[in-house]
Amino acid sequence: NDSIGEGWFDIVNIHGFGDTPENCMRNAADLLTKTLQKVGATSKDLVRTTVFIDTMENYGGVNRVYCQQFDLNPPVRICVALGPSAFPSGCGLSMNVRGWRGEEDRRCLHVQGISHWAPPNIGPYSQGYLVQDKLHVSGQIGLVPGTMTLHQDLCKELALAYRHVNRVIEALGPANTIKPLHTAICYITDVANTDLVNSFWRGQCVSEPLQIYLVSQLPRMANFEFEVVSNVELNE
């Protein structure tokens, strides 16, 4: 409780067991619902979900069940594959969720169509979610807006992924309200790209240090995925 401030909560390590990706997701969703009830919350209170799956080959099956868990404006989502060896036998995924219990208005960006200004939405999630003074951004990869294909140049793929992050922040938080980032993570699939990511981050002149995590696979076989939470100044 109160993970990043009053009213916020985090629930971690929600494992999903089953004989198919769909059943693994159903099992995790059932466990999540029961856990939320214990802390006096519902799925409508969720702002962000992080889904760790065994392999991206099972992404479609997981997605089919995941999309049934939320209404019109779902939480932002980060989805990465860790490899089958990262999970216990019979377990196909694990989830972490963050939520906020309160009456304050929430603002979200949920662009479902293909556009040329915003990151494409390739799943049942919102691109950004603003609650109180925290703006959570969904996992962003370097898809080219309008074509929904990955940029073929490694450096440009990385830069485009982070540009998507900034576009979401700019859409939900006016420039004069944006404060330094709260957290910043970059998932990579090849340890050889660590220096490239560090060099890129230094060039952004961002005060928040970047955490880099090595994973097995990313959606659309991307090389990079950014996960960011930005601080936003509240209007009095």
Side-chain angles (χ1 to χ4, degrees):
N1 287 334
D2 299 335
S3 56
I4 58 172
E6 185 177 355
W8 290 91
F9 64 89
D10 282 291
I11 302 173
V12 301
N13 298 326
I14 305 163
H15 296 305
F17 290 83
D19 55 355
T20 66
E22 290 87 349
N23 286 338
C24 287
M25 186 65 240
R26 290 188 186 96
N27 180 248
D30 289 344
L31 179 57
L32 173 60
T33 298
K34 294 175 183 177
T35 307
L36 286 170
Q37 290 172 347
K38 290 180 181 179
V39 300
T42 71
S43 61
K44 292 183 178 180
D45 296 314
L46 296 182
V47 173
R48 182 184 72 190
T49 67
T50 305
V51 184
F52 304 101
I53 62 178
D54 51 2
T55 171
M56 279 297 160
E57 282 70 25
N58 292 332
Y59 179 86
V62 169
N63 234 15
R64 280 190 288 274
V65 177
Y66 179 94
C67 68
Q68 300 170 7
Q69 312 306 313
F70 302 101
D71 294 325
L72 182 61
N73 294 318
V76 303
R77 186 178 73 177
I78 296 89
C79 184
V80 302
L82 303 182
S85 63
F87 299 92
S89 177
C91 178
L93 63 87
S94 179
M95 293 178 63
N96 297 340
V97 303
R98 171 172 290 171
W100 185 75
R101 290 166 297 198
E103 299 301 323
E104 188 172 325
D105 289 341
R106 302 159 182 249
R107 293 177 58 198
C108 74
L109 179 67
H110 188 201
V111 180
Q112 294 179 283
I114 299 175
S115 71
H116 289 274
W117 70 270
N121 188 314
I122 59 171
Y125 57 85
S126 296
Q127 285 97 331
Y129 223 113
L130 174 60
V131 183
Q132 287 196 312
D133 62 344
K134 295 293 184 291
L135 198 169
H136 290 73
V137 180
S138 66
Q140 297 297 326
I141 61 176
L143 288 178
V144 178
T147 67
M148 295 184 71
T149 58
L150 280 175
H151 205 296
Q152 296 304 300
D153 182 281
L154 203 62
C155 295
K156 292 181 179 179
E157 179 194 340
L158 175 61
L160 185 57
Y162 191 61
R163 190 184 78 171
H164 291 334
V165 170
N166 285 322
R167 288 285 174 86
V168 173
I169 292 174
E170 291 165 3
L172 282 172
N176 62 343
T177 68
I178 300 300
K179 288 187 172 183
L181 298 180
H182 182 267
T183 55
I185 295 171
C186 184
Y187 297 96
I188 61 175
T189 58
D190 187 342
V191 70
N193 290 329
T194 303
D195 289 343
L196 173 63
V197 173
N198 279 324
S199 177
F200 171 82
W201 195 248
R202 287 193 296 269
Q204 302 309 301
C205 300
V206 178
S207 59
E208 176 65 27
L210 180 69
Q211 303 170 58
I212 301 176
Y213 296 145
L214 179 66
V215 298
S216 176
Q217 295 170 302
L218 294 171
R220 299 293 182 93
M221 305 311 292
N223 294 288
F224 314 98
E225 180 173 352
F226 279 102
E227 172 188 344
V228 166
V229 180
S230 177
N231 293 304
V232 177
E233 182 178 351
L234 294 175
N235 294 321
E236 300 296 336

